[in-house]
Amino acid sequence: MTVEATTERVLRLLALLQRRRSWTAADLAAELGVTDRCVRRDVQRLRTLGYPVQAVSGVGGGYQLGAGTRLPPLLLDDEEAIATAVSLRLASGGTIAGAGEAALRALAKLDQVMPSRLRAEVRAVHGATETLMGPVAEIGAELLVTLARACRDAVRVRFTYAGRDGGGRERTVEPVRMVTTGRRWYLMAWDVDRDDWRTFRLDRMGAAVATTWRFRAREHPDPVAYVQRSVTEAPYRYLARVRVHAQPDRVRALVPPQVGRVEDDRDGWCVLVVGGESLDWLAAHLARLDHEMEVLEPPELREAFGRLARRLAVLAGGPSEPSGQWRSA
């Protein structure tokens, strides 16, 4: 018998062992069309490969696949592969806390070996499924997989990137990590043309292609902190810093990471950094925190708080003077 035939039979044996908990040697032999002795040899081949196949003696005994010290490769049939891929796509979108990055890595591995006919089935299921969430920027799974592989394999990626003016420019980057805020996906990467680290929104990317150019990993900032700083500060006209009389974890629970950054300060206080296009908008949103706070910068934010206080006083039908809860540093 050829090596190819033996390998195919061993893989069929593995699939049978994964299908149900226990098999007798006679049942396995009948399924495979071989002798009991051949089954024993193939079981030993699986054990050599690291699969913990256990032999159970006595009435009702047989072979069963046990748990080992590491996870061996799994064989999935078509239905199992589709179900797994759909579940991983949902998890990679952030619907399962803490599982997004791992799900994306697993999805990249599965997508790499999945036949095209099954990819079409996965896309059909995914396209017919809606998740009840707030407004989010939709990202194609193909783009996520392309970038995940590029991060894993340390290869450059080319794509067109739509700027705020609507124009698209070609960019070449060395990707490090993708970060999701729950509403949007971002890529932290080294911009080859600008010779610096950059953050890119995935919903602005187009025609992304992983090249064959491998790069040597660079020393880089923490991806999560870098992306958070970029999305909370860089895009806005005004950057406000206020000291809040509350524990940092309390403020983080009130302010999403894509909106503001919370820094530890002295006991019982923290510093909130938040950006906005309007000082009046910043004052209104900061007032919703309902905590005592001090304005650190910019000074003009104090005037915006004064205008807000006077408007609220007029609406309430009371005096137009600020209440004094807001004070300068």
Side-chain angles (χ1 to χ4, degrees):
M1 183 172 290
T2 64
V3 173
E4 290 80 2
T6 301
T7 302
E8 181 181 357
R9 190 183 65 246
V10 171
L11 289 175
R12 288 178 57 202
L13 172 61
L14 176 59
L16 291 172
L17 291 171
Q18 291 179 346
R19 186 183 301 172
R20 76 184 194 203
R21 179 165 178 78
S22 181
W23 291 82
T24 65
D27 287 342
L28 289 172
E31 288 281 344
L32 298 172
V34 297
T35 64
D36 291 7
R37 182 179 179 184
C38 185
V39 170
R40 288 194 294 271
R41 287 198 302 264
D42 288 346
V43 165
Q44 186 55 44
R45 291 187 177 100
L46 287 177
R47 288 169 176 164
T48 302
L49 293 173
Y51 292 92
V53 183
Q54 301 170 355
V56 181
S57 59
V59 178
Y63 294 105
Q64 63 183 36
L65 194 60
T69 57
R70 60 186 177 86
L71 182 65
L74 300 176
L75 294 180
L76 303 176
D77 61 27
D78 288 0
E79 292 182 354
E80 292 168 340
I82 292 172
T84 301
V86 170
S87 299
L88 289 172
R89 288 193 180 201
L90 291 174
S92 67
T95 57
I96 301 176
E101 184 180 340
L104 195 54
R105 291 199 308 268
L107 180 59
K109 293 178 182 178
L110 184 60
D111 185 80
Q112 188 170 352
V113 298
M114 182 178 289
S116 57
R117 58 185 174 82
L118 295 187
R119 287 198 188 98
E121 294 288 343
V122 172
R123 284 195 295 269
V125 174
H126 192 70
T129 304
E130 296 291 344
T131 303
L132 190 60
M133 297 176 64
V136 296
E138 294 186 358
I139 306 299
E142 290 76 10
L143 175 59
L144 290 175
V145 170
T146 296
L147 296 177
R149 288 179 182 169
C151 292
R152 179 196 65 190
D153 300 335
V155 296
R156 288 182 176 179
V157 177
R158 288 197 305 269
F159 54 87
T160 56
Y161 194 67
R164 296 182 183 179
D165 57 1
R169 299 176 180 84
E170 185 171 283
R171 311 293 281 268
T172 300
V173 302
E174 298 176 355
V176 173
R177 187 73 57 82
M178 285 184 288
V179 177
T180 178
T181 64
R183 295 182 62 249
R184 290 195 177 98
W185 281 85
Y186 297 87
L187 174 70
M188 174 185 162
W190 179 264
D191 192 315
V192 174
D193 297 323
R194 289 158 179 76
D195 199 33
D196 199 2
W197 295 108
R198 289 289 190 274
T199 296
F200 301 94
R201 276 175 47 177
L202 268 63
D203 58 302
R204 291 182 177 176
M205 289 184 183
V209 176
T211 71
T212 57
W213 182 291
R214 297 184 64 87
F215 61 87
R216 187 186 299 274
R218 305 170 185 267
E219 290 289 335
H220 58 77
D222 175 72
V224 173
Y226 184 85
V227 170
Q228 186 184 24
R229 183 179 294 272
S230 297
V231 301
T232 58
E233 298 180 13
Y236 299 108
R237 180 181 178 186
Y238 297 102
L239 186 64
R241 291 173 56 86
V242 295
R243 182 175 287 117
V244 184
H245 193 186
Q247 294 296 331
D249 289 344
R250 170 61 179 163
V251 179
R252 290 188 182 102
L254 298 172
V255 181
Q258 69 269 23
V259 174
R261 189 178 79 254
V262 180
E263 302 172 351
D264 292 344
D265 197 51
R266 60 179 184 261
D267 291 344
W269 292 78
C270 62
V271 174
L272 173 62
V273 182
V274 60
E277 293 298 318
S278 162
L279 289 174
D280 290 334
W281 182 91
L282 283 170
H285 280 267
L286 288 170
R288 295 172 59 190
L289 294 179
D290 196 27
H291 287 289
E292 182 182 1
M293 62 182 67
E294 301 174 359
V295 176
L296 301 180
E297 57 181 341
E300 294 81 6
L301 182 58
R302 303 185 186 101
E303 299 174 6
F305 275 125
R307 290 192 295 272
L308 175 64
R310 287 190 289 272
R311 287 198 298 271
L312 293 177
V314 170
L315 290 173
S320 60
E321 292 299 320
S323 64
Q325 181 181 5
W326 311 98
R327 66 174 187 267
S328 302

mmCIF file of all heavy atoms in Angstrom, residues 17 20-28 54-65:
data_model
loop_
_atom_site.group_PDB
_atom_site.id
_atom_site.type_symbol
_atom_site.label_atom_id
_atom_site.label_comp_id
_atom_site.label_asym_id
_atom_site.label_seq_id
_atom_site.Cartn_x
_atom_site.Cartn_y
_atom_site.Cartn_z
ATOM 1 N N LEU A 17 -12.650 9.174 14.958
ATOM 2 C CA LEU A 17 -12.453 9.310 16.405
ATOM 3 C C LEU A 17 -12.969 10.647 16.921
ATOM 4 O O LEU A 17 -13.388 10.758 18.083
ATOM 5 C CB LEU A 17 -10.974 9.132 16.756
ATOM 6 C CG LEU A 17 -10.406 7.723 16.578
ATOM 7 C CD1 LEU A 17 -8.888 7.738 16.746
ATOM 8 C CD2 LEU A 17 -11.034 6.753 17.576
ATOM 9 N N ARG A 20 -17.338 10.683 17.278
ATOM 10 C CA ARG A 20 -18.038 10.241 18.474
ATOM 11 C C ARG A 20 -17.031 9.782 19.512
ATOM 12 O O ARG A 20 -15.858 9.565 19.215
ATOM 13 C CB ARG A 20 -19.045 9.143 18.148
ATOM 14 C CG ARG A 20 -18.467 7.776 17.895
ATOM 15 C CD ARG A 20 -19.566 6.803 17.474
ATOM 16 N NE ARG A 20 -19.110 5.414 17.551
ATOM 17 C CZ ARG A 20 -19.653 4.433 16.854
ATOM 18 N NH1 ARG A 20 -20.664 4.687 16.012
ATOM 19 N NH2 ARG A 20 -19.212 3.192 16.970
ATOM 20 N N ARG A 21 -17.503 9.607 20.747
ATOM 21 C CA ARG A 21 -16.574 9.429 21.870
ATOM 22 C C ARG A 21 -15.819 8.107 21.822
ATOM 23 O O ARG A 21 -14.617 8.066 22.090
ATOM 24 C CB ARG A 21 -17.347 9.542 23.194
ATOM 25 C CG ARG A 21 -16.453 9.351 24.413
ATOM 26 C CD ARG A 21 -17.127 9.803 25.672
ATOM 27 N NE ARG A 21 -16.282 9.582 26.829
ATOM 28 C CZ ARG A 21 -15.267 10.349 27.175
ATOM 29 N NH1 ARG A 21 -14.953 11.383 26.431
ATOM 30 N NH2 ARG A 21 -14.541 10.087 28.247
ATOM 31 N N SER A 22 -16.473 7.002 21.495
ATOM 32 C CA SER A 22 -15.810 5.703 21.615
ATOM 33 C C SER A 22 -16.146 4.819 20.419
ATOM 34 O O SER A 22 -17.282 4.835 19.913
ATOM 35 C CB SER A 22 -16.234 5.008 22.919
ATOM 36 O OG SER A 22 -15.587 3.757 23.056
ATOM 37 N N TRP A 23 -15.141 4.065 19.968
ATOM 38 C CA TRP A 23 -15.290 3.119 18.863
ATOM 39 C C TRP A 23 -14.646 1.794 19.262
ATOM 40 O O TRP A 23 -13.585 1.775 19.881
ATOM 41 C CB TRP A 23 -14.580 3.611 17.601
ATOM 42 C CG TRP A 23 -15.192 4.802 16.929
ATOM 43 C CD1 TRP A 23 -15.023 6.109 17.274
ATOM 44 C CD2 TRP A 23 -16.052 4.779 15.789
ATOM 45 N NE1 TRP A 23 -15.720 6.916 16.427
ATOM 46 C CE2 TRP A 23 -16.361 6.130 15.488
ATOM 47 C CE3 TRP A 23 -16.589 3.769 14.997
ATOM 48 C CZ2 TRP A 23 -17.182 6.484 14.437
ATOM 49 C CZ3 TRP A 23 -17.405 4.127 13.934
ATOM 50 C CH2 TRP A 23 -17.707 5.462 13.658
ATOM 51 N N THR A 24 -15.276 0.686 18.856
ATOM 52 C CA THR A 24 -14.594 -0.603 18.992
ATOM 53 C C THR A 24 -13.673 -0.776 17.794
ATOM 54 O O THR A 24 -13.856 -0.156 16.734
ATOM 55 C CB THR A 24 -15.604 -1.762 19.025
ATOM 56 O OG1 THR A 24 -16.274 -1.835 17.757
ATOM 57 C CG2 THR A 24 -16.623 -1.555 20.145
ATOM 58 N N ALA A 25 -12.667 -1.627 17.974
ATOM 59 C CA ALA A 25 -11.747 -1.892 16.876
ATOM 60 C C ALA A 25 -12.491 -2.477 15.681
ATOM 61 O O ALA A 25 -12.182 -2.162 14.518
ATOM 62 C CB ALA A 25 -10.646 -2.834 17.348
ATOM 63 N N ALA A 26 -13.476 -3.332 15.967
ATOM 64 C CA ALA A 26 -14.232 -3.957 14.875
ATOM 65 C C ALA A 26 -15.021 -2.906 14.092
ATOM 66 O O ALA A 26 -15.082 -2.956 12.852
ATOM 67 C CB ALA A 26 -15.171 -5.016 15.446
ATOM 68 N N ASP A 27 -15.647 -1.948 14.801
ATOM 69 C CA ASP A 27 -16.410 -0.902 14.111
ATOM 70 C C ASP A 27 -15.495 -0.037 13.246
ATOM 71 O O ASP A 27 -15.832 0.322 12.112
ATOM 72 C CB ASP A 27 -17.139 -0.020 15.117
ATOM 73 C CG ASP A 27 -18.323 -0.729 15.751
ATOM 74 O OD1 ASP A 27 -18.780 -1.743 15.174
ATOM 75 O OD2 ASP A 27 -18.776 -0.287 16.826
ATOM 76 N N LEU A 28 -14.328 0.319 13.785
ATOM 77 C CA LEU A 28 -13.382 1.118 13.013
ATOM 78 C C LEU A 28 -12.893 0.357 11.791
ATOM 79 O O LEU A 28 -12.773 0.925 10.695
ATOM 80 C CB LEU A 28 -12.200 1.532 13.891
ATOM 81 C CG LEU A 28 -12.498 2.579 14.975
ATOM 82 C CD1 LEU A 28 -11.294 2.750 15.881
ATOM 83 C CD2 LEU A 28 -12.885 3.917 14.344
ATOM 84 N N GLN A 54 -6.777 6.765 23.400
ATOM 85 C CA GLN A 54 -6.790 5.869 24.555
ATOM 86 C C GLN A 54 -7.514 4.576 24.211
ATOM 87 O O GLN A 54 -8.502 4.576 23.490
ATOM 88 C CB GLN A 54 -7.487 6.556 25.732
ATOM 89 C CG GLN A 54 -6.821 7.859 26.159
ATOM 90 C CD GLN A 54 -7.654 8.641 27.150
ATOM 91 O OE1 GLN A 54 -8.792 8.254 27.467
ATOM 92 N NE2 GLN A 54 -7.112 9.750 27.636
ATOM 93 N N ALA A 55 -6.965 3.460 24.724
ATOM 94 C CA ALA A 55 -7.584 2.146 24.548
ATOM 95 C C ALA A 55 -8.290 1.758 25.835
ATOM 96 O O ALA A 55 -7.687 1.780 26.913
ATOM 97 C CB ALA A 55 -6.531 1.108 24.188
ATOM 98 N N VAL A 56 -9.577 1.440 25.733
ATOM 99 C CA VAL A 56 -10.381 1.063 26.895
ATOM 100 C C VAL A 56 -10.703 -0.424 26.771
ATOM 101 O O VAL A 56 -11.287 -0.864 25.770
ATOM 102 C CB VAL A 56 -11.680 1.888 26.968
ATOM 103 C CG1 VAL A 56 -12.492 1.485 28.197
ATOM 104 C CG2 VAL A 56 -11.359 3.377 26.989
ATOM 105 N N SER A 57 -10.310 -1.189 27.777
ATOM 106 C CA SER A 57 -10.524 -2.634 27.727
ATOM 107 C C SER A 57 -11.872 -3.000 28.343
ATOM 108 O O SER A 57 -12.538 -2.179 28.973
ATOM 109 C CB SER A 57 -9.401 -3.358 28.476
ATOM 110 O OG SER A 57 -9.360 -2.928 29.831
ATOM 111 N N GLY A 58 -12.289 -4.273 28.142
ATOM 112 C CA GLY A 58 -13.521 -4.770 28.743
ATOM 113 C C GLY A 58 -14.713 -4.618 27.826
ATOM 114 O O GLY A 58 -14.620 -4.136 26.693
ATOM 115 N N VAL A 59 -15.879 -5.036 28.353
ATOM 116 C CA VAL A 59 -17.113 -4.962 27.580
ATOM 117 C C VAL A 59 -17.445 -3.498 27.284
ATOM 118 O O VAL A 59 -17.444 -2.655 28.176
ATOM 119 C CB VAL A 59 -18.273 -5.631 28.345
ATOM 120 C CG1 VAL A 59 -19.573 -5.514 27.548
ATOM 121 C CG2 VAL A 59 -17.947 -7.086 28.637
ATOM 122 N N GLY A 60 -17.741 -3.222 26.036
ATOM 123 C CA GLY A 60 -18.058 -1.853 25.656
ATOM 124 C C GLY A 60 -16.832 -0.994 25.467
ATOM 125 O O GLY A 60 -16.951 0.215 25.278
ATOM 126 N N GLY A 61 -15.652 -1.589 25.564
ATOM 127 C CA GLY A 61 -14.420 -0.831 25.415
ATOM 128 C C GLY A 61 -14.107 -0.559 23.963
ATOM 129 O O GLY A 61 -14.863 -0.881 23.055
ATOM 130 N N GLY A 62 -12.961 0.035 23.745
ATOM 131 C CA GLY A 62 -12.538 0.352 22.394
ATOM 132 C C GLY A 62 -11.559 1.497 22.418
ATOM 133 O O GLY A 62 -10.765 1.640 23.356
ATOM 134 N N TYR A 63 -11.606 2.325 21.403
ATOM 135 C CA TYR A 63 -10.702 3.459 21.287
ATOM 136 C C TYR A 63 -11.472 4.765 21.431
ATOM 137 O O TYR A 63 -12.601 4.898 20.946
ATOM 138 C CB TYR A 63 -9.988 3.437 19.935
ATOM 139 C CG TYR A 63 -9.059 2.271 19.751
ATOM 140 C CD1 TYR A 63 -9.414 1.200 18.940
ATOM 141 C CD2 TYR A 63 -7.823 2.237 20.388
ATOM 142 C CE1 TYR A 63 -8.564 0.118 18.765
ATOM 143 C CE2 TYR A 63 -6.961 1.160 20.227
ATOM 144 C CZ TYR A 63 -7.335 0.107 19.414
ATOM 145 O OH TYR A 63 -6.489 -0.965 19.250
ATOM 146 N N GLN A 64 -10.836 5.718 22.089
ATOM 147 C CA GLN A 64 -11.426 7.058 22.173
ATOM 148 C C GLN A 64 -10.317 8.087 22.190
ATOM 149 O O GLN A 64 -9.202 7.825 22.643
ATOM 150 C CB GLN A 64 -12.308 7.200 23.410
ATOM 151 C CG GLN A 64 -11.590 7.053 24.731
ATOM 152 C CD GLN A 64 -12.560 7.139 25.905
ATOM 153 O OE1 GLN A 64 -13.695 6.656 25.820
ATOM 154 N NE2 GLN A 64 -12.127 7.750 26.985
ATOM 155 N N LEU A 65 -10.630 9.252 21.648
ATOM 156 C CA LEU A 65 -9.664 10.343 21.569
ATOM 157 C C LEU A 65 -9.726 11.141 22.862
ATOM 158 O O LEU A 65 -10.762 11.715 23.204
ATOM 159 C CB LEU A 65 -9.986 11.244 20.366
ATOM 160 C CG LEU A 65 -8.911 12.231 19.923
ATOM 161 C CD1 LEU A 65 -7.634 11.509 19.520
ATOM 162 C CD2 LEU A 65 -9.433 13.070 18.760
#
